[in-house]
Amino acid sequence: MSEEINLKEMSDDEILELMQEDLYDGYAEEIVEEVNELLGREMGSYDILIKGLVAGMEVVGVDFRDGVLFVPEVLMAAKAMKAGMEVLRPLLAETGAPKMGTVVIGTVKGDIHDIGKNLVAMMMEGAGFDVVNLGINTSADDFIAAIEEHDADILGMSALLTTTMRSMEHTIKALEEAGLRNKVKIMIGGAPVTQAFSDQIGADGYASNAASAAELAKKFVA
């Protein structure tokens, strides 16, 4: 952080604005300082989350979608967001702050690609969701167990290989058999996945990138 910036001399709104800029630039240490400064001024943890971190990630999401930012920059921003969230999370839990919902996300069975899926998970966290990231090579049984354990609202599945796309259909059928299909909204994505495929297998939605995935998730819980 440059010498000219003295948080003590700034208004709450100026700090929130600075927080959005620092998040965009991926400055994790500065984000933690700003979060702590606002907490010290008795600003609520939920307000800091929504007006600072989530607002900042929304700009990152739009610029990522529009090709202004690329994966490395988004990962830096997500890392900064995570640093701020580590300070806020226990406080948010205490205050019972409203949550957007819970998302279970994973790369399907047979597939080990996870950069895109991790970006989606970070964007979802940035939008205020609780995210349970199951990682790669996730079976239908693993998805079902996590949905039940975490009382999930949304299931996100990713595939990068045409050969593993069918695992998505298999998981949806398994959810139907388990009587859970109507309990969750199912979103799918990944390089070979299309809207047509999503319609064909009975998913609720398809997103072509991380920013639009977060937008779609927000619509599902609205």
Side-chain angles (χ1 to χ4, degrees):
M1 193 180 273
S2 59
E3 291 307 310
E4 302 89 71
I5 294 176
N6 182 348
L7 294 180
K8 302 281 179 219
E9 292 169 5
M10 296 172 76
S11 71
D12 293 0
D13 286 344
E14 284 170 335
I15 293 178
L16 287 169
E17 203 174 308
L18 178 64
M19 191 182 281
Q20 292 173 32
E21 289 167 17
D22 284 345
L23 191 68
Y24 192 93
D25 293 330
Y27 296 153
E29 284 178 29
E30 286 80 348
I31 290 289
V32 171
E33 282 174 32
E34 289 145 14
V35 167
N36 283 320
E37 176 64 30
L38 290 172
L39 287 171
R41 297 180 186 196
E42 307 286 295
M43 184 180 281
S45 50
Y46 185 68
D47 282 342
I48 299 171
L49 171 67
I50 299 299
K51 295 176 185 171
L53 298 179
V54 172
M57 272 313 261
E58 274 172 3
V59 180
V60 171
V62 169
D63 279 4
F64 178 53
R65 186 192 65 210
D66 295 345
V68 179
L69 289 179
F70 298 97
V71 170
E73 289 103 328
V74 177
L75 289 172
M76 289 291 288
K79 204 172 163 187
M81 164 99 193
K82 207 170 181 183
M85 278 302 291
E86 276 169 14
V87 180
L88 291 176
R89 193 172 279 121
L91 302 170
L92 289 165
E94 276 171 32
T95 55
K99 289 189 178 73
M100 290 295 289
T102 300
V103 179
V104 164
I105 190 168
T107 304
V108 295
K109 190 158 181 62
D111 207 317
I112 56 165
H113 296 88
D114 69 349
I115 291 178
K117 180 261 303 169
N118 287 343
L119 273 177
V120 171
M122 287 167 178
M123 281 292 183
M124 298 268 205
E125 251 190 356
F129 286 93
D130 279 343
V131 178
V132 181
N133 189 340
L134 299 177
I136 57 171
N137 195 23
T138 311
S139 69
D141 288 346
D142 291 339
F143 280 125
I144 287 170
I147 288 165
E148 290 184 317
E149 183 187 342
H150 300 281
D151 198 23
D153 305 288
I154 295 171
L155 169 63
M157 291 187 281
S158 167
L160 205 77
L161 305 169
T162 47
T163 49
T164 58
M165 283 165 64
R166 286 290 156 205
S167 293
M168 294 176 166
E169 185 175 22
H170 174 66
T171 300
I172 292 175
K173 288 198 170 126
L175 280 166
E176 282 166 4
E177 285 163 17
L180 292 171
R181 176 62 190 93
N182 296 332
K183 188 185 174 308
V184 287
K185 291 287 189 188
I186 297 174
M187 299 172 51
I188 64 172
V193 180
T194 60
Q195 182 63 57
F197 180 71
S198 171
D199 297 339
Q200 185 192 326
I201 66 170
D204 295 299
Y206 155 76
S208 61
N209 60 60
S212 55
E215 285 306 311
L216 182 61
K218 282 197 255 185
K219 282 185 190 142
F220 281 153
V221 297

